[in-house]
Amino acid sequence: MQVLLKIFLMGCCLALVACSTVSNLVGGAHKTKEVVFDAQLTLEENVGEPWEGKHLEWLPETVKELSQELTAIPDVRVFTLRDDQVVKLLIPASSLFAPNDSVLKPSVSEILSPVLLPVQSKEYNLIIAAYMDDSGKPEYTQKMTQLRAEATARWFIQAGIDTASVITYAYGSEYPRRPNTSVQARAENRRIELFLLPSQALLDSQKRGFFRKR
């Protein structure tokens, strides 16, 4: 009788271990990705590699819907990165700033306001990267891109977004889109790039069932 009891108890223990293992596997499969967004990291590190997992299958569709909405902004090119998990906006510097100036034009609301809501709602974090052509000394182009990135960030912060949701990068004349061999090419290299990255709040809201489809 004692032998049978021991066998029965051992079977119960094995069943509990198996259930626990299955539960952990299922729970792990649906574990929310932890978002890394840190000003100490490079732009590439913050954008990162594509997230994988069936629990994130909804994300590319959501990001593509947002990118489609943003294509209505005049003079702005919209892309998706990281397997349609990040939105990138390419804005000519001339749309936001006068030549050799770091003060935003009064008309920038038409361009920047559509980007405001996704960040203000805390669904996305924002990266601002500024670039110049090579027509000035490196010290000048670096300082100008720094001032322009900061001025753009300040517009968003004054409009009500959390400072923790914004990171800026200034690249001077580094990373030109085209060789600086013509007036048109230099104009393309003078630009502001905005990156909208899904926030932890957006991922958590999907996990908890509170996600608001755009």
Side-chain angles (χ1 to χ4, degrees), residues 75 91-113 147-148 151-152 154-155 158 190 192:
D75 301 324
I91 307 172
S94 59
S95 296
L96 302 180
F97 302 95
N100 301 310
D101 199 350
S102 59
V103 178
L104 286 167
K105 294 180 177 179
S107 59
V108 298
S109 293
E110 183 181 7
I111 296 173
L112 301 182
S113 290
L147 292 173
R148 286 181 169 181
T152 308
R154 194 157 49 247
W155 184 93
Q158 290 174 349
R190 297 190 297 271
I192 303 295

mmCIF file of all heavy atoms in Angstrom, residues 75 91-113 147-148 151-152 154-155 158 190 192:
data_model
loop_
_atom_site.group_PDB
_atom_site.id
_atom_site.type_symbol
_atom_site.label_atom_id
_atom_site.label_comp_id
_atom_site.label_asym_id
_atom_site.label_seq_id
_atom_site.Cartn_x
_atom_site.Cartn_y
_atom_site.Cartn_z
ATOM 1 N N ASP A 75 5.894 67.775 -48.082
ATOM 2 C CA ASP A 75 7.361 67.841 -48.238
ATOM 3 C C ASP A 75 8.130 66.893 -47.314
ATOM 4 O O ASP A 75 9.320 67.103 -47.049
ATOM 5 C CB ASP A 75 7.876 69.275 -48.013
ATOM 6 C CG ASP A 75 7.261 70.260 -48.986
ATOM 7 O OD1 ASP A 75 7.031 69.871 -50.148
ATOM 8 O OD2 ASP A 75 6.994 71.403 -48.573
ATOM 9 N N ILE A 91 12.779 65.069 -43.257
ATOM 10 C CA ILE A 91 12.277 66.434 -43.467
ATOM 11 C C ILE A 91 13.414 67.306 -43.979
ATOM 12 O O ILE A 91 14.469 67.406 -43.323
ATOM 13 C CB ILE A 91 11.749 67.023 -42.143
ATOM 14 C CG1 ILE A 91 10.735 66.075 -41.491
ATOM 15 C CG2 ILE A 91 11.130 68.389 -42.375
ATOM 16 C CD1 ILE A 91 10.306 66.496 -40.103
ATOM 17 N N PRO A 92 13.254 67.966 -45.129
ATOM 18 C CA PRO A 92 14.290 68.902 -45.574
ATOM 19 C C PRO A 92 14.499 69.995 -44.531
ATOM 20 O O PRO A 92 13.532 70.536 -43.975
ATOM 21 C CB PRO A 92 13.708 69.480 -46.869
ATOM 22 C CG PRO A 92 12.677 68.488 -47.318
ATOM 23 C CD PRO A 92 12.112 67.894 -46.062
ATOM 24 N N ALA A 93 15.738 70.325 -44.252
ATOM 25 C CA ALA A 93 16.014 71.363 -43.256
ATOM 26 C C ALA A 93 15.359 72.683 -43.642
ATOM 27 O O ALA A 93 14.929 73.457 -42.777
ATOM 28 C CB ALA A 93 17.520 71.548 -43.097
ATOM 29 N N SER A 94 15.237 72.932 -44.948
ATOM 30 C CA SER A 94 14.642 74.190 -45.411
ATOM 31 C C SER A 94 13.159 74.294 -45.071
ATOM 32 O O SER A 94 12.598 75.394 -45.071
ATOM 33 C CB SER A 94 14.822 74.332 -46.920
ATOM 34 O OG SER A 94 14.216 73.244 -47.609
ATOM 35 N N SER A 95 12.514 73.167 -44.769
ATOM 36 C CA SER A 95 11.106 73.200 -44.374
ATOM 37 C C SER A 95 10.931 73.668 -42.932
ATOM 38 O O SER A 95 9.856 74.122 -42.542
ATOM 39 C CB SER A 95 10.475 71.810 -44.541
ATOM 40 O OG SER A 95 10.468 71.416 -45.888
ATOM 41 N N LEU A 96 11.990 73.542 -42.142
ATOM 42 C CA LEU A 96 11.919 73.908 -40.728
ATOM 43 C C LEU A 96 12.740 75.141 -40.375
ATOM 44 O O LEU A 96 12.387 75.877 -39.444
ATOM 45 C CB LEU A 96 12.396 72.736 -39.859
ATOM 46 C CG LEU A 96 11.653 71.405 -39.989
ATOM 47 C CD1 LEU A 96 12.269 70.372 -39.048
ATOM 48 C CD2 LEU A 96 10.173 71.576 -39.690
ATOM 49 N N PHE A 97 13.829 75.383 -41.118
ATOM 50 C CA PHE A 97 14.763 76.449 -40.761
ATOM 51 C C PHE A 97 15.128 77.294 -41.987
ATOM 52 O O PHE A 97 15.186 76.779 -43.111
ATOM 53 C CB PHE A 97 16.053 75.858 -40.181
ATOM 54 C CG PHE A 97 15.852 75.005 -38.968
ATOM 55 C CD1 PHE A 97 15.734 73.630 -39.093
ATOM 56 C CD2 PHE A 97 15.780 75.567 -37.701
ATOM 57 C CE1 PHE A 97 15.555 72.816 -37.972
ATOM 58 C CE2 PHE A 97 15.599 74.779 -36.574
ATOM 59 C CZ PHE A 97 15.478 73.403 -36.708
ATOM 60 N N ALA A 98 15.396 78.561 -41.751
ATOM 61 C CA ALA A 98 15.967 79.410 -42.785
ATOM 62 C C ALA A 98 17.440 79.022 -42.958
ATOM 63 O O ALA A 98 18.042 78.406 -42.067
ATOM 64 C CB ALA A 98 15.845 80.878 -42.389
ATOM 65 N N PRO A 99 18.057 79.351 -44.086
ATOM 66 C CA PRO A 99 19.469 79.012 -44.292
ATOM 67 C C PRO A 99 20.361 79.544 -43.169
ATOM 68 O O PRO A 99 20.212 80.684 -42.723
ATOM 69 C CB PRO A 99 19.804 79.684 -45.630
ATOM 70 C CG PRO A 99 18.494 79.772 -46.346
ATOM 71 C CD PRO A 99 17.470 80.019 -45.267
ATOM 72 N N ASN A 100 21.264 78.702 -42.717
ATOM 73 C CA ASN A 100 22.238 79.070 -41.677
ATOM 74 C C ASN A 100 21.573 79.578 -40.401
ATOM 75 O O ASN A 100 22.129 80.410 -39.692
ATOM 76 C CB ASN A 100 23.208 80.136 -42.210
ATOM 77 C CG ASN A 100 23.968 79.655 -43.424
ATOM 78 O OD1 ASN A 100 24.548 78.571 -43.415
ATOM 79 N ND2 ASN A 100 23.961 80.453 -44.482
ATOM 80 N N ASP A 101 20.376 79.060 -40.111
ATOM 81 C CA ASP A 101 19.642 79.494 -38.921
ATOM 82 C C ASP A 101 19.199 78.261 -38.133
ATOM 83 O O ASP A 101 18.994 77.178 -38.697
ATOM 84 C CB ASP A 101 18.419 80.314 -39.332
ATOM 85 C CG ASP A 101 17.895 81.174 -38.184
ATOM 86 O OD1 ASP A 101 18.366 80.993 -37.040
ATOM 87 O OD2 ASP A 101 17.009 82.016 -38.429
ATOM 88 N N SER A 102 19.053 78.436 -36.832
ATOM 89 C CA SER A 102 18.603 77.332 -35.977
ATOM 90 C C SER A 102 17.295 77.671 -35.262
ATOM 91 O O SER A 102 16.922 76.988 -34.307
ATOM 92 C CB SER A 102 19.687 76.996 -34.943
ATOM 93 O OG SER A 102 19.981 78.127 -34.137
ATOM 94 N N VAL A 103 16.621 78.714 -35.731
ATOM 95 C CA VAL A 103 15.318 79.089 -35.175
ATOM 96 C C VAL A 103 14.231 78.511 -36.068
ATOM 97 O O VAL A 103 14.239 78.728 -37.286
ATOM 98 C CB VAL A 103 15.170 80.625 -35.086
ATOM 99 C CG1 VAL A 103 13.787 80.988 -34.564
ATOM 100 C CG2 VAL A 103 16.253 81.200 -34.194
ATOM 101 N N LEU A 104 13.311 77.782 -35.486
ATOM 102 C CA LEU A 104 12.245 77.153 -36.268
ATOM 103 C C LEU A 104 11.362 78.204 -36.932
ATOM 104 O O LEU A 104 11.037 79.232 -36.332
ATOM 105 C CB LEU A 104 11.389 76.261 -35.372
ATOM 106 C CG LEU A 104 12.021 74.935 -34.941
ATOM 107 C CD1 LEU A 104 11.203 74.308 -33.823
ATOM 108 C CD2 LEU A 104 12.141 73.974 -36.112
ATOM 109 N N LYS A 105 10.948 77.920 -38.147
ATOM 110 C CA LYS A 105 10.027 78.802 -38.845
ATOM 111 C C LYS A 105 8.652 78.772 -38.177
ATOM 112 O O LYS A 105 8.270 77.748 -37.583
ATOM 113 C CB LYS A 105 9.882 78.361 -40.305
ATOM 114 C CG LYS A 105 11.131 78.513 -41.147
ATOM 115 C CD LYS A 105 10.866 78.045 -42.571
ATOM 116 C CE LYS A 105 12.061 78.256 -43.478
ATOM 117 N NZ LYS A 105 11.805 77.775 -44.867
ATOM 118 N N PRO A 106 7.880 79.845 -38.255
ATOM 119 C CA PRO A 106 6.532 79.850 -37.666
ATOM 120 C C PRO A 106 5.609 78.794 -38.263
ATOM 121 O O PRO A 106 4.653 78.364 -37.616
ATOM 122 C CB PRO A 106 6.021 81.265 -37.986
ATOM 123 C CG PRO A 106 7.252 82.084 -38.195
ATOM 124 C CD PRO A 106 8.251 81.167 -38.809
ATOM 125 N N SER A 107 5.913 78.349 -39.475
ATOM 126 C CA SER A 107 5.033 77.402 -40.176
ATOM 127 C C SER A 107 5.298 75.945 -39.835
ATOM 128 O O SER A 107 4.662 75.046 -40.403
ATOM 129 C CB SER A 107 5.195 77.595 -41.687
ATOM 130 O OG SER A 107 6.549 77.386 -42.076
ATOM 131 N N VAL A 108 6.207 75.657 -38.890
ATOM 132 C CA VAL A 108 6.581 74.260 -38.650
ATOM 133 C C VAL A 108 5.450 73.421 -38.057
ATOM 134 O O VAL A 108 5.475 72.192 -38.149
ATOM 135 C CB VAL A 108 7.815 74.154 -37.725
ATOM 136 C CG1 VAL A 108 9.011 74.809 -38.358
ATOM 137 C CG2 VAL A 108 7.521 74.718 -36.342
ATOM 138 N N SER A 109 4.451 74.056 -37.459
ATOM 139 C CA SER A 109 3.353 73.292 -36.853
ATOM 140 C C SER A 109 2.672 72.394 -37.881
ATOM 141 O O SER A 109 2.222 71.282 -37.549
ATOM 142 C CB SER A 109 2.324 74.232 -36.229
ATOM 143 O OG SER A 109 2.878 74.905 -35.120
ATOM 144 N N GLU A 110 2.590 72.855 -39.109
ATOM 145 C CA GLU A 110 1.960 72.058 -40.167
ATOM 146 C C GLU A 110 2.690 70.740 -40.371
ATOM 147 O O GLU A 110 2.077 69.715 -40.692
ATOM 148 C CB GLU A 110 1.939 72.848 -41.476
ATOM 149 C CG GLU A 110 1.240 72.135 -42.622
ATOM 150 C CD GLU A 110 1.255 72.939 -43.905
ATOM 151 O OE1 GLU A 110 1.926 74.001 -43.944
ATOM 152 O OE2 GLU A 110 0.607 72.510 -44.873
ATOM 153 N N ILE A 111 4.011 70.760 -40.159
ATOM 154 C CA ILE A 111 4.827 69.566 -40.361
ATOM 155 C C ILE A 111 4.941 68.731 -39.091
ATOM 156 O O ILE A 111 4.842 67.500 -39.133
ATOM 157 C CB ILE A 111 6.230 69.974 -40.859
ATOM 158 C CG1 ILE A 111 6.124 70.640 -42.228
ATOM 159 C CG2 ILE A 111 7.169 68.766 -40.904
ATOM 160 C CD1 ILE A 111 7.427 71.218 -42.737
ATOM 161 N N LEU A 112 5.153 69.387 -37.953
ATOM 162 C CA LEU A 112 5.447 68.664 -36.718
ATOM 163 C C LEU A 112 4.208 68.229 -35.944
ATOM 164 O O LEU A 112 4.253 67.227 -35.217
ATOM 165 C CB LEU A 112 6.346 69.519 -35.818
ATOM 166 C CG LEU A 112 7.704 69.933 -36.408
ATOM 167 C CD1 LEU A 112 8.503 70.719 -35.384
ATOM 168 C CD2 LEU A 112 8.487 68.722 -36.892
ATOM 169 N N SER A 113 3.102 68.940 -36.069
ATOM 170 C CA SER A 113 1.909 68.606 -35.283
ATOM 171 C C SER A 113 1.408 67.179 -35.506
ATOM 172 O O SER A 113 1.007 66.508 -34.549
ATOM 173 C CB SER A 113 0.788 69.604 -35.562
ATOM 174 O OG SER A 113 1.111 70.863 -35.019
ATOM 175 N N LEU A 147 22.148 72.601 -32.599
ATOM 176 C CA LEU A 147 21.150 73.635 -32.306
ATOM 177 C C LEU A 147 19.809 73.311 -32.968
ATOM 178 O O LEU A 147 18.748 73.525 -32.372
ATOM 179 C CB LEU A 147 21.659 74.998 -32.774
ATOM 180 C CG LEU A 147 22.852 75.575 -32.006
ATOM 181 C CD1 LEU A 147 23.353 76.847 -32.681
ATOM 182 C CD2 LEU A 147 22.474 75.852 -30.547
ATOM 183 N N ARG A 148 19.851 72.788 -34.183
ATOM 184 C CA ARG A 148 18.609 72.464 -34.881
ATOM 185 C C ARG A 148 17.897 71.272 -34.234
ATOM 186 O O ARG A 148 16.671 71.282 -34.111
ATOM 187 C CB ARG A 148 18.903 72.198 -36.356
ATOM 188 C CG ARG A 148 19.216 73.471 -37.131
ATOM 189 C CD ARG A 148 19.484 73.214 -38.606
ATOM 190 N NE ARG A 148 19.525 74.477 -39.352
ATOM 191 C CZ ARG A 148 19.721 74.571 -40.656
ATOM 192 N NH1 ARG A 148 19.903 73.474 -41.382
ATOM 193 N NH2 ARG A 148 19.730 75.749 -41.247
ATOM 194 N N ALA A 151 16.380 72.618 -31.038
ATOM 195 C CA ALA A 151 15.229 73.485 -31.298
ATOM 196 C C ALA A 151 13.995 72.654 -31.645
ATOM 197 O O ALA A 151 12.875 72.951 -31.208
ATOM 198 C CB ALA A 151 15.548 74.451 -32.437
ATOM 199 N N THR A 152 14.185 71.592 -32.416
ATOM 200 C CA THR A 152 13.066 70.710 -32.780
ATOM 201 C C THR A 152 12.540 69.981 -31.547
ATOM 202 O O THR A 152 11.322 69.881 -31.345
ATOM 203 C CB THR A 152 13.512 69.704 -33.849
ATOM 204 O OG1 THR A 152 14.117 70.399 -34.944
ATOM 205 C CG2 THR A 152 12.325 68.905 -34.365
ATOM 206 N N ARG A 154 12.767 71.000 -28.486
ATOM 207 C CA ARG A 154 12.130 72.000 -27.624
ATOM 208 C C ARG A 154 10.692 72.283 -28.084
ATOM 209 O O ARG A 154 9.797 72.476 -27.265
ATOM 210 C CB ARG A 154 12.968 73.285 -27.643
ATOM 211 C CG ARG A 154 12.621 74.273 -26.551
ATOM 212 C CD ARG A 154 13.780 75.207 -26.263
ATOM 213 N NE ARG A 154 14.331 75.799 -27.474
ATOM 214 C CZ ARG A 154 15.565 75.540 -27.940
ATOM 215 N NH1 ARG A 154 16.359 74.716 -27.304
ATOM 216 N NH2 ARG A 154 15.997 76.140 -29.043
ATOM 217 N N TRP A 155 10.471 72.271 -29.390
ATOM 218 C CA TRP A 155 9.106 72.479 -29.900
ATOM 219 C C TRP A 155 8.180 71.389 -29.378
ATOM 220 O O TRP A 155 7.055 71.670 -28.922
ATOM 221 C CB TRP A 155 9.106 72.487 -31.429
ATOM 222 C CG TRP A 155 7.764 72.796 -32.019
ATOM 223 C CD1 TRP A 155 7.293 74.021 -32.396
ATOM 224 C CD2 TRP A 155 6.698 71.865 -32.265
ATOM 225 N NE1 TRP A 155 6.003 73.915 -32.872
ATOM 226 C CE2 TRP A 155 5.614 72.597 -32.798
ATOM 227 C CE3 TRP A 155 6.551 70.494 -32.092
ATOM 228 C CZ2 TRP A 155 4.399 72.003 -33.162
ATOM 229 C CZ3 TRP A 155 5.343 69.896 -32.440
ATOM 230 C CH2 TRP A 155 4.293 70.646 -32.976
ATOM 231 N N GLN A 158 7.653 71.797 -25.511
ATOM 232 C CA GLN A 158 6.756 72.916 -25.215
ATOM 233 C C GLN A 158 5.316 72.600 -25.618
ATOM 234 O O GLN A 158 4.370 73.171 -25.076
ATOM 235 C CB GLN A 158 7.250 74.174 -25.924
ATOM 236 C CG GLN A 158 8.542 74.727 -25.325
ATOM 237 C CD GLN A 158 9.116 75.886 -26.116
ATOM 238 O OE1 GLN A 158 8.681 76.177 -27.243
ATOM 239 N NE2 GLN A 158 10.111 76.565 -25.544
ATOM 240 N N ARG A 190 21.051 68.343 -46.134
ATOM 241 C CA ARG A 190 20.618 69.192 -45.014
ATOM 242 C C ARG A 190 19.204 68.753 -44.634
ATOM 243 O O ARG A 190 18.233 69.067 -45.315
ATOM 244 C CB ARG A 190 20.648 70.663 -45.427
ATOM 245 C CG ARG A 190 22.032 71.182 -45.780
ATOM 246 C CD ARG A 190 22.031 72.699 -45.940
ATOM 247 N NE ARG A 190 21.176 73.139 -47.032
ATOM 248 C CZ ARG A 190 21.567 73.290 -48.304
ATOM 249 N NH1 ARG A 190 22.820 73.007 -48.652
ATOM 250 N NH2 ARG A 190 20.726 73.720 -49.227
ATOM 251 N N ILE A 192 16.397 66.954 -41.330
ATOM 252 C CA ILE A 192 16.064 66.488 -39.983
ATOM 253 C C ILE A 192 15.358 65.143 -40.150
ATOM 254 O O ILE A 192 14.433 65.019 -40.964
ATOM 255 C CB ILE A 192 15.115 67.469 -39.259
ATOM 256 C CG1 ILE A 192 15.736 68.871 -39.189
ATOM 257 C CG2 ILE A 192 14.779 66.948 -37.855
ATOM 258 C CD1 ILE A 192 16.981 68.970 -38.357
#
